Amino acid sequence: MYTIDLSGQVALVTGSSRGIGAAIAKELAAAGASVGINYRTNANAADQVIDEIRAAGGEALRVPGDVSDENSADAVVKTTADRLGRLDILVNNAGITRDRLVMRMNAEDWDEVLTVNLRGTFLPTRFAIPLMVRQRYGRIVNISSVVGLSGNPGQANYAASKAGQIGLAKAIAREVASRNITVNAVAPGFIELDGGGMTGELNDEQRGQVLSRVPAGRFGSAEEVASAVLYLVSPAASYITGQTLTIDGGMTA
Ligand code: NAP
């Protein structure tokens, strides 16, 4: 059987105290990577993820910090690399929504989402790249969204930030490809999370309407996003860079 082995590698997953980020962190740890667990506010949630990883025999480190703040992002990347010994994998997952129709959206709603989702992707990448260049190895994955490809009413700020993460990945992929560093994006569709998430806010009628647009006939799971990320960060995906992989049950096919 072929399995992906990340032992000896170090990963940083931003926003991994819950949801999709937590599933990605657990998946990378299960494959053998030591993982930096980043979050902004909820230390208890991060500790729970770390406990789970350690109970399964993996290694995880708590690296709190706002990834959209320059000094914090630098510290989060440096602490992960210093304490765990190197940095092979960066997953830019931290993200927020502030949904409103554009004619009611104020500049604050815009700035907050663009700052966390796009600046918060640029900064950790900016600080990780020199370490990866020195190692002549690296894997970066931005967690975008199908909304960044197709748009969605009420999410102009979010869609712009998610499309931005795709452009960012493409540009940086071209800058660092010769150094054995790949930069890709994944675009999840409707993902059902334990704590509810976006799909938890839908009533039965809305759920039915959404599902009628998904050929697979069901929502995706955080684990299904995590397994796609695991492939993209693995040595097996060495010739894939600047790409966006949709994980949406066929919705945008
Ligand atoms: P979530 O459950 O709301 O979790 C967000 C995570 O990001 C939390 O760990 C949060 O930590 C952290 N975070 C927020 N702002 C941060 C900041 N400035 N610095 C560091 N950490 C920060 O989110 P999710 O639904 O799993 O989504 C994760 C990613 O997948 C997002 O980029 C989202 O756009 C994308 N996505 C989600 C879906 C979906 O259906 N859920 C679909 C497509 C794409 P604290 O709580 O401590 O702040």
Side-chain angles (χ1 to χ4, degrees):
M1 191 176 77
Y2 179 81
T3 50
I4 291 172
D5 182 7
L6 299 181
S7 45
Q9 294 201 27
V10 173
L12 168 62
V13 183
T14 70
S16 49
S17 59
R18 58 187 151 89
I20 292 172
I24 294 169
K26 287 186 228 171
E27 184 84 1
L28 302 189
S34 302
V35 186
I37 305 295
N38 163 259
Y39 61 96
R40 180 166 50 173
T41 51
N42 193 340
N44 287 341
D47 282 342
Q48 235 173 296
V49 175
I50 290 170
D51 287 348
E52 263 185 68
I53 288 174
R54 289 184 181 155
E59 189 180 6
L61 174 74
R62 185 138 77 83
V63 274
D66 178 349
V67 289
S68 65
D69 174 85
E70 192 168 9
N71 292 331
S72 306
D74 191 13
V76 165
V77 170
K78 279 212 178 84
T79 305
T80 306
D82 289 350
R83 298 270 306 276
L84 298 175
R86 48 189 287 125
L87 185 65
D88 304 281
I89 297 163
L90 169 66
V91 181
N92 290 304
N93 167 81
I96 59 167
T97 51
R98 296 285 179 269
D99 296 352
R100 258 170 222 258
L101 291 176
V102 73
M103 60 185 183
R104 297 207 190 98
M105 188 174 285
N106 56 42
E108 216 171 83
D109 299 324
W110 174 267
D111 287 345
E112 229 182 310
V113 169
L114 269 290
T115 299
V116 173
N117 297 5
L118 195 49
R119 185 179 157 93
T121 295
F122 160 68
L123 287 171
T125 305
R126 159 71 185 84
F127 295 119
I129 292 272
L131 308 178
M132 292 176 173
V133 166
R134 234 173 287 143
Q135 290 168 184
R136 295 192 81 80
Y137 184 86
R139 295 279 185 270
I140 299 174
V141 177
N142 294 346
I143 310 302
S144 176
S145 164
V146 289
V147 166
L149 297 169
S150 58
N152 201 25
Q155 294 197 305
N157 49 1
Y158 182 74
S161 72
K162 293 285 138 182
Q165 283 182 304
I166 291 171
L168 193 58
K170 284 178 181 290
I172 300 171
R174 288 177 183 273
E175 289 187 23
V176 297
S178 65
R179 309 303 176 93
N180 203 19
I181 301 168
T182 67
V183 191
N184 291 291
V186 299
F190 287 101
I191 305 300
E192 195 146 45
L193 300 176
D194 283 346
M198 286 191 329
T199 52
E201 288 161 18
L202 305 173
N203 62 34
D204 282 350
E205 195 191 332
Q206 289 167 325
R207 281 175 78 89
Q209 278 169 1
V210 167
L211 283 180
S212 70
R213 291 164 49 203
V214 182
R218 62 174 180 83
F219 295 119
S221 69
E223 289 69 29
E224 287 174 312
V225 178
S227 56
V229 173
L230 175 64
Y231 171 65
L232 286 175
V233 304
S234 75
S238 49
Y239 206 52
I240 301 173
T241 196
Q243 300 303 306
T244 302
L245 179 61
T246 53
I247 308 164
D248 66 356
M251 193 167 63
T252 54

